[in-house]
Each structure stands twice: as structure tokens, then as C-alpha cells.
Amino acid sequence: SNVPIIAIDGPSGSGKGTLCQTLARHFGWHLLDSGALYRLTGMAADRHGIALNDELAVAELAKNLDVQFVPGADGEPTLVLLEGDDVSGELRTEKTGLLASKVAVLGAVRDALLQRQRDFAQLPGLVADGRDMGTVVFTDAPLKIFLTASAEERAERRYKQLKSKGDNVNLATLLMEIQARDKRDSERELAPLKPAADAIQLDSSGLGIEEVFERVLAEAKIRL
Ligand code: C5P
């Protein structure tokens, strides 16, 4: 297709989320937060009492996700409604991340979300945030970034992020949860977390948001 796409993959806490938002705003492009789709699917299963390993039932939920993204006025964050309920807070918790990584191992669920994700590729362009954007969903993306950072640094960033939202979190627990989720994401059979062959690998440890953004911008000038 003729839609320019920047595919950004990496583990949780690598700074992908912020980077993608900054890039999307900079270019005036659409943003796909693919993790949110897996999170919402996990939450929907939890709500409906569907076992997280009931592949067909969870895939059915994924196909029919009743989600609305309501942009906040005056720089307020976007509200996320699942089946009409505001789940914006719950969406980002590590508990939800765990639900997401459990339903994300299911092939039928990944298939169910594939077209929904590809539909985000609209002019003038798309910044896609996830684990398999470069390897599965947008294999033709002209710019692919694989963003990493040490587990400790990622846990600390997540800690600050959750703490600032008023979550009562513990750093050591968070580190363990993040490592467990990374392991599940990296070792799964389908669309495991790994850099695409043509991805640029970037380690954000010790780098500020601004520095990471500038580096990606420099690559964008070359590749897009
Ligand atoms: O990026 P985020 O932390 O929101 O993703 C939550 C979980 O959803 C990940 O740990 C992973 O298991 C799953 N996921 C995925 N493929 C994507 C995005 C997220 O499997 N493209």
C-alpha cells in the first residue's frame, strides 16, 4: 500500500508508548496501540468469565470487541470504554498486562485482531506500537524499530508511570512481573517478540525520551 508506516516493537517499558505518541503527533499520523487490543481482549474474557485458554471463545470476543476510544478535551487523556464502561485506569495495570499476554499466545485471537490492526493503515501515515508490528502485521513497513532497555530500567519507568497514576505498586514485584511477561512474549510460538530482520535496534537505557525521538527521526529521514 502507499501508506507510510513506522513499526515499533519491543518489550514493555522500553519507552515505545511515549515514543509512538510523540512520533504520531510530530507527523500528524494515526497511532495503533496494538497492546491495548490484547489488553481489552483479556479484560473482556475476564469480565465474561471465559477461561483465558478457551481459544475459540476468546477469539470470538476479540472479533466482536465493543470498544470506544473517546478523545479527551483540552489535552485530557483518551478515555477507553469497554462495553460502555470506562476502563481507562484498569487498561494499563500489570494485572491487565498479564491477562493480555495470556490471550496473546492464542493463534485464533491473533488472527481475529490482525485485520482490525491493518485497518489502522490510513493516510497520511501510521505509527504502529506492539510486539509483532514489523514481523507479522506490517511486514512491508519502510521503517522498523526494535526498542529495548534493561529490565531494571524498564521496571523503574513502569513504576514511575503507575505511581504517578496513583497505583500502589512495588518495584521488586513489578520487575518480576515484567520479566515473566517478557519471557512469555519472547518464548511463545506465534509472533514471538523479536526484531524483524530489517529492524533497527535501539537500546534506550540511559537515554531520554527526546534523544530516542531524535534518533528515530533521523532514521525516518533516511527511510521514508
Ligand atoms: O504493549 P502492551 O504492554 O500494552 O502489551 C500487552 C501484551 O499484549 C504484551 O505483553 C503481549 O503479550 C501482547 N501483545 C502482543 N502483540 C502485540 C502487542 C501486544 O502479543 N502486537
Side-chain angles (χ1 to χ4, degrees):
S1 92
N2 57 344
V3 179
I5 297 174
I6 302 179
I8 306 207
D9 291 305
S12 59
S14 57
K16 275 180 316 155
T18 310
L19 172 64
C20 290
Q21 283 171 18
T22 310
L23 285 167
R25 212 176 303 127
H26 174 83
F27 288 111
W29 288 3
H30 301 279
L31 175 65
L32 165 61
D33 174 1
S34 62
L37 297 176
Y38 287 95
R39 285 171 182 267
L40 288 159
T41 302
M43 287 171 73
D46 196 40
R47 284 175 152 229
H48 293 278
I50 291 171
L52 296 177
N53 59 1
D54 187 339
E55 181 159 7
L56 294 185
V58 180
E60 205 52 42
L61 279 180
K63 241 175 261 168
N64 301 308
L65 269 186
D66 170 10
V67 183
Q68 284 163 277
F69 295 92
V70 185
D74 311 318
E76 288 292 306
T78 300
L79 285 186
V80 184
L81 306 184
L82 176 60
E83 295 160 0
D85 297 326
D86 182 0
V87 295
S88 318
E90 199 183 338
L91 187 67
R92 289 288 138 215
T93 63
E94 206 37 51
K95 176 180 179 274
T96 304
L98 182 65
L99 292 176
S101 75
K102 287 185 176 172
V103 298
V105 303
L106 307 171
V109 171
R110 304 201 71 86
D111 287 347
L113 293 178
L114 191 60
Q115 194 55 49
R116 200 186 262 261
Q117 295 174 79
R118 289 187 173 150
D119 290 343
F120 277 78
Q122 302 276 345
L123 287 170
L126 175 68
V127 180
D129 171 347
R131 301 290 184 291
D132 62 342
M133 300 296 97
T135 51
V136 177
V137 182
F138 301 111
T139 49
D140 293 337
L143 178 56
K144 299 178 183 178
I145 304 283
F146 194 79
L147 192 67
T148 55
S150 70
E152 288 70 22
E153 178 145 347
R154 291 189 286 112
E156 243 165 73
R157 289 178 187 165
R158 200 68 163 198
Y159 177 78
K160 284 184 190 149
Q161 204 176 54
L162 293 172
K163 199 90 184 176
S164 74
K165 284 185 190 159
D167 270 18
N168 187 17
V169 281
N170 173 282
L171 182 58
T173 310
L174 204 55
L175 177 60
M176 272 176 6
E177 287 170 341
I178 283 181
Q179 282 169 327
R181 185 145 66 91
D182 287 351
K183 190 167 147 66
R184 190 194 305 276
D185 289 348
S186 307
E187 292 179 355
R188 71 182 177 213
E189 213 160 302
L190 294 169
L193 171 65
K194 64 156 198 259
D198 52 350
I200 294 163
Q201 297 202 40
L202 197 59
D203 186 338
S204 71
S205 305
L207 295 182
I209 292 162
E210 193 60 29
E211 281 170 290
V212 175
F213 172 68
E214 290 301 336
R215 286 191 196 196
V216 174
L217 214 51
E219 295 294 345
K221 287 200 176 108
I222 299 166
R223 302 218 183 185
L224 296 179

